[in-house]
Every structure is written in C-alpha cells, then in structure tokens.
C-alpha cells in the first residue's frame, strides 16, 4: 500500500481533504491433507500409516492478486455543504485479460439544514444523497480449463476435468446504488429521527448455472443475471425522562427490502441453489432471489383444500412458488434506563414474514415423535385401538362436499405432509425475540480514586433469552438463516442457545 493524504483550505469558507493511493492485495492459499482409507489396521492407533487400505494425500493451492489505484476527495463549505467523491480501478488476476480492469466511482452530498433554519425545536437537520458503483471479481481459476490431479491409476498419473465449465469471457460484477436520507433531532436532541431510502441494481452476477450433462459438465460459470434491491431504513429514538439522576431512552428501528431477479442470461430459465427432498431454492426472473419451489395443495375457488375420494389431499400438478427466504420487514425496540450508578438495557427484535422449510417437523410427524401425532384436533388418541382415523379438513374434488372419509394416521402423516405435499411443512419465519438484557453498576468515584482506573463496573447480562412469538412449531425459525445463498432449510437443529454471564470492566 502507498497513500498520499492532502488537506487544503481553498478559502475561508471552503476546504478540501483527500488522498490518492495504490494498493496490491495478494491472497495465497494452500491446503495439505492426509487421511487413512478403509478404517484402521490397529484400533486406537490414529496415524496415517495405519490405514487398512493405505492412505491418501491431497493438496490444493490457489493464488489471487488484485492491483488497485484509488483516490478520494472531500469538500466542505461553511460547515454546512459537504461533497465527497471517490474513484477506484482494480485489475484482478481472476478475470480474463480483456475484462480484468474495472473502474467504480462514487459521489455523495449533504446539506446541514439546521445551519440556515431558525425554527424552535429543531436541534439538528441534515439531508443527504449519494450514488456509487462497486465492482467485484470472482474466485481463482474460473476462466480457463483446469484439471484436478487424482491418485495414480496403477503406475500412471490421472487427472479429471471439473464438473463446472469455466468461462474465458467472464466479466466483473457491477452494483450501482442510489441513496437518500434525512436526519432530524428535535427539542435539544430529546427526539432523534433517521430515514434512508436506497435503490441498487447488480449486473452480470456470476453464478454456477446448471447445464445439460450431455455437454460433459453439470454446470457452467456465467454472468447469469441482473438483480434489484430497493428499500427503506428508519430509526426513531427519544429521551422521555432526563433529570440529574435519571435518564430513560427508548428507540425503534425498522427496515424493509424488496429484492427481485430482473433477468437471466439467454437460454437460462432459473438458477437453482439447492434441492432437498424435492423442495428447491431457486432464482427466477420476476421473483425474489431465494424462492422456494415445490408441490402445494389444490384449492377450490373459495380457498378450501381439495381432497380425493380416498380422503387424501390433492397436490398441484406442477411445482409452484412456496415463499421466499426474504422477510417483509425486520426491526427492533430497545430501551436504556440510567439511575445514578445503575444502568439497565433491553432489546427486543422482530422479523415479519420470510419462509422456511422444516425437516424437523416433516420427519417428526412422519416418524410419530411429535405431540401432534398423539391426539387429533378433537382430542382423540390416535394410538388407541379402534381409532376411526383422521378426517382432514377439505372438500371432495368430485362431489364438492365436505370430506368425511377417515384415513389411517400413519398414512396421513406421510401422504398429507411435506414429503409429498411440500407446502405442508413450509412455515412462516416470523418471530419476536427478547434478544438481550443487561444490568450494570458503576462503582462510585470515591471508591475508584487512588486506583489506576477511571471507572470500574460490575454487571450481569443475558442474550437470546426468549422467543416471545413465532409461527413455526418446535423450532427456532432464525436457525434456518445463514450467510450463504442456501438458506431457509431447517433440519435436526439443536435447541437455541441462551447465554447468561457476568461482566467486570476496568477502564483506564
């Protein structure tokens, strides 16, 4: 890295700060592993040479280099008008030479309205706008044919072509975004408000797209699509009580995002992230990224589920969208109460909407391990000898009359559940959680005087304390969320973990 910073007061009212620089980022990764084959010759002797069928050694190396030039400038006028501009150009070793250079700029401006406003009650007000582009490369070795070296075939070496077809014409991804916002503090900062609207599009998304196996590959690396994200973020905080000894703060934040896959490359209908027991997580044009597809119930025009003559639910002839992993909105409410040397903090957060598929519920019902497999909706014991059977709530598709046919409980929990009708175990992922509580006590100043510390505090805290509300039985809906593209599938989760602890803090 090499940077040159500069600052200049162009006039009494106008100042400029910024920098120019160059950067080189290298990533070298190497993995070496060895493992036994066929178990162990001598039980309990965990050495590589003790493999019943010998051992195997593997190694992997990858290298990536990104060279960059970058610059930034910030202009301020009379401490109320501000403009920031940036520019960066990257050259990435992971892209083909013809496309390995990509430039992305940004610009933002803000105006502190309160410098010119003379309105009682307004402590601070600022409007801001910004536009930016961000470029992105890919992983190493995705632009030309590479070979994986395998174990010898007899005395001869062997190598294989990977299952993914690489792309010599790969282009960098590019995200363009616009943002506007308002900050407003009222009544000597006793009320604080922050609002943001954003709209961003990403072009030339790089995906591994499934292709026909007749090509010799199972997937191909392509610039496969364009996406859109737009939404709002809102926070509101207030201090209803503030005296010499007591202060109470309360705040709420809210976020809503709308995501959509705008288009895919020619000849591609969808991108499939994964498929588990017939339920797929896909990206299709016009739908959010990460939409579940599977079989749903059949319904009559009034919304009643349709049942066949044998008393079983009918499912759709084709797979249909069952929901998206993306929530309608998220948010939280927090409060802080300070009284003399005591401080209390609590946070409740929530999610509305989003969808998940629960294999714990699906297989728990099928295997008879869940409570709902013991008693039916009328309180009858389904295990009792002579039990008449389950009569599902629905309308006979032939007669259009209310269903009256009873079926064996075991058949019901197989044929009418997510193994056959995937929508049966597709659940709303909404939740309300008591996320955190904390109580701290700061030792009085006279107890700290004479020590090397300026402050000493003792506290207790708890995190992930309780699920106050959820719409999916038996599981924590948040466990189905991850940082990867494959989200929303839940199975065999361990109980959610609650953390309770004690803090002792020393500040110099």
């Amino acid at each position: 890295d090499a940077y040159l910073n500069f600052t200049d007061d162009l006039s009494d009212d106008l100042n400029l700060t910024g920098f120019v620089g160059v950067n080189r980022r290298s990533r070298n990764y190497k993995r070496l592993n060895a493992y036994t084959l066929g178990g162990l010759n001598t039980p309990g002797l965990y050495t590589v040479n003790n493999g019943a069928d010998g051992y195997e050694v593997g190694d992997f190396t990858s290298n990536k280099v990104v060279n960059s030039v970058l610059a930034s400038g910030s202009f301020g006028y009379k401490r109320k008008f501000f403009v920031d501009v940036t520019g960066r150009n990257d050259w990435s070793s992971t892209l083909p030479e013809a496309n390995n250079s990509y430039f992305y700029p940004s610009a933002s401006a803000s105006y502190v309205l309160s410098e010119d406003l003379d309105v009682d009650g307004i402590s601070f007000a600022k409007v801001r706008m910004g536009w930016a582009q961000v470029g992105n490369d890919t992983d190493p070795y995705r632009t030309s044919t590479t070979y994986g070296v395998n174990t010898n075939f007899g005395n001869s070496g062997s190598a294989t072509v990977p299952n993914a077809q690489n792309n010599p014409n790969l282009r960098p991804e590019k995200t363009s975004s616009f943002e506007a916002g308002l900050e407003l503090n009222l009544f000597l900062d006793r009320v604080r408000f922050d609002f943001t609207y954003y709209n961003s599009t990403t072009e030339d998304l790089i995906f591994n797209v499934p292709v026909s196996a007749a090509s010799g590959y199972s997937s191909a690396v392509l610039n496969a699509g364009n996406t859109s994200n737009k939404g709002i973020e809102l926070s509101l905080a207030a201090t209803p009580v503030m005296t010499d000894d007591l202060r109470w703060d309360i705040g709420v934040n809210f976020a809503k995002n709308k995501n959509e896959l705008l288009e895919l490359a020619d000849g591609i209908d969808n991108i499939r992230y994964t498929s588990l027991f017939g339920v797929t997580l896909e990206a299709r044009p016009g739908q959010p990224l990460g939409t579940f597809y599977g079989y749903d119930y059949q319904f009559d025009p009034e919304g009643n589920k349709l049942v066949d003559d044998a008393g079983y639910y009918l499912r759709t002839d084709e797979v249909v969208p069952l929901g998206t992993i993306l929530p309608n909105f998220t948010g939280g409410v927090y409060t802080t109460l300070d009284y003399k040397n005591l401080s209390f903090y609590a946070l409740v957060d929530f999610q509305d909407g989003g969808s998940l598929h629960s294999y714990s519920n699906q297989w728990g019902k099928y295997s008879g391990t869940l409570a709902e497999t013991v008693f039916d909706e009328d309180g009858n014991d389904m295990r009792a000898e002579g039990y008449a059977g389950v009569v599902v709530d629905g309308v006979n598709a032939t007669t259009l009359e209310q269903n009256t046919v009873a079926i064996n409980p075991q058949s019901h929990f197989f044929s009418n559940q997510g193994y056959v009708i995937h929508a049966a175990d597709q659940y709303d992922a909404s939740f309300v959680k008591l996320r955190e509580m904390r109580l701290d006590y700061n030792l009085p100043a006279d107890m700290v005087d004479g020590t090397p510390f300026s402050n000493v505090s003792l506290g207790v805290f708890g995190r992930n304390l309780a699920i106050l509300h959820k719409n999916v039985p038996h599981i924590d809906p948040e466990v189905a969320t991850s940082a990867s593209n494959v989200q929303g599938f839940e199975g065999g989760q361990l109980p959610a973990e609650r953390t309770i602890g004690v803090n002792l803090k020393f500040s110099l």
Side-chain angles (χ1 to χ4, degrees), residues 201-491:
T201 57
T202 301
E203 302 174 8
D204 292 328
L205 277 168
I206 299 173
F207 277 111
N208 262 30
V209 178
V211 297
S212 170
S215 66
Y217 299 92
S218 60
S219 63
V221 181
L222 297 176
N223 292 105
N226 302 331
T227 64
S228 168
N229 280 281
K230 60 182 67 175
I232 60 171
E233 296 175 351
L234 172 68
S235 67
L236 177 63
T239 307
V241 178
M242 186 166 60
T243 68
D244 291 341
D245 293 331
L246 178 65
R247 173 171 176 146
W248 175 36
D249 291 292
I250 187 169
V252 59
N253 59 76
F254 172 90
K256 180 177 178 62
N257 178 72
K258 181 181 179 182
N259 171 278
E260 183 181 359
L261 178 61
L262 300 176
E263 62 178 341
L264 288 173
D266 292 342
I268 301 173
D269 297 324
N270 70 301
I271 296 173
R272 178 174 294 182
Y273 296 124
T274 191
S275 175
L276 292 173
F277 298 105
V279 182
T280 61
L281 187 66
E282 303 182 11
R284 298 191 184 189
Q287 296 284 345
L289 287 175
T291 298
F292 290 99
Y293 285 84
Y295 290 106
D296 199 354
Y297 299 97
Q298 287 190 29
F299 297 89
D300 68 7
E302 284 71 41
N304 300 304
K305 296 175 183 176
L306 292 177
V307 179
D308 63 17
D309 292 337
Y312 293 95
Y313 285 127
L314 293 171
R315 74 177 190 181
T316 54
D317 296 327
E318 304 290 340
V319 297
V320 297
L322 299 178
T324 172
I325 59 176
L326 302 174
N328 298 323
F329 58 84
T330 60
V333 179
Y334 71 88
T335 187
T336 302
L337 188 65
D338 296 312
Y339 177 70
K340 294 185 177 180
N341 291 355
L342 278 173
S343 179
F344 172 77
Y345 171 81
L347 170 65
V348 173
D349 61 10
F350 55 84
Q351 172 177 304
D352 178 79
S355 188
L356 64 90
H357 192 86
S358 173
Y359 291 105
S360 293
N361 279 281
Q362 175 179 317
W363 294 109
K365 287 181 286 188
Y366 171 69
S367 61
T369 59
L370 297 181
E372 53 263 47
T373 64
V374 178
F375 297 98
D376 64 17
E377 294 181 354
D378 297 323
N380 300 309
D381 190 340
M382 291 183 281
R383 303 165 299 175
E385 185 177 351
Y387 175 69
V390 178
V391 179
V392 300
D393 183 22
V395 172
N396 185 284
T398 304
T399 65
L400 300 183
E401 299 292 335
Q402 186 69 27
N403 174 56
T404 59
V405 180
I407 56 178
N408 176 274
Q410 187 175 9
S411 299
H412 163 67
F413 286 112
F414 175 78
S415 298
N416 289 332
Q417 304 302 321
Y419 191 75
V420 176
I421 303 176
H422 303 128
D425 288 299
Q426 197 74 28
Y427 294 94
D428 178 8
S430 300
F431 65 81
V432 180
K433 287 190 173 185
L434 178 56
R435 183 68 67 180
E436 184 176 356
M437 294 182 71
R438 188 172 65 240
L439 180 64
D440 294 305
Y441 176 72
N442 295 308
L443 295 184
D446 56 0
M447 294 183 63
V448 180
D449 288 345
T451 71
F453 310 107
S454 62
N455 183 65
V456 178
S457 67
L458 177 66
V460 293
F461 67 90
R463 298 190 181 97
N464 203 34
L465 290 171
I467 301 176
L468 304 178
H469 170 78
K470 61 175 181 169
N471 293 328
V472 54
H474 307 300
I475 65 168
D476 180 350
E478 200 174 19
V479 174
T481 303
S482 73
S484 71
N485 286 331
V486 181
Q487 299 189 42
F489 288 97
E490 178 279 330

Side-chain angles (χ1 to χ4, degrees), residues 91-114:
W91 290 266
S92 174
S93 66
T94 66
L95 294 169
E97 186 173 354
N99 298 326
N100 71 352
S101 173
Y102 45 100
F103 174 73
Y104 44 103
S106 74
S108 63
S110 61
Y111 169 38
V112 182
L113 291 165
S114 51

Side-chain angles (χ1 to χ4, degrees), residues 24 171 214 220 444 470:
R24 180 182 177 90
R171 300 182 301 276
K470 61 175 181 169

Side-chain angles (χ1 to χ4, degrees), residues 89-139:
N89 200 99
D90 287 349
W91 290 266
S92 174
S93 66
T94 66
L95 294 169
E97 186 173 354
N99 298 326
N100 71 352
S101 173
Y102 45 100
F103 174 73
Y104 44 103
S106 74
S108 63
S110 61
Y111 169 38
V112 182
L113 291 165
S114 51
E115 290 292 316
D116 292 325
L117 288 175
D118 187 13
V119 179
D120 291 341
I122 296 181
S123 311
F124 177 79
K126 183 174 77 171
V127 293
R128 62 183 188 273
M129 297 178 62
W131 174 87
Q133 284 188 336
V134 178
N136 188 37
D137 57 3
T138 185
D139 295 328

Side-chain angles (χ1 to χ4, degrees), residues 114 119-125 184-191:
S114 51
V119 179
D120 291 341
I122 296 181
S123 311
F124 177 79
L184 189 63
N185 291 2
L186 305 175
F187 312 119
L188 299 177
D189 297 336
R190 295 285 289 270
V191 177

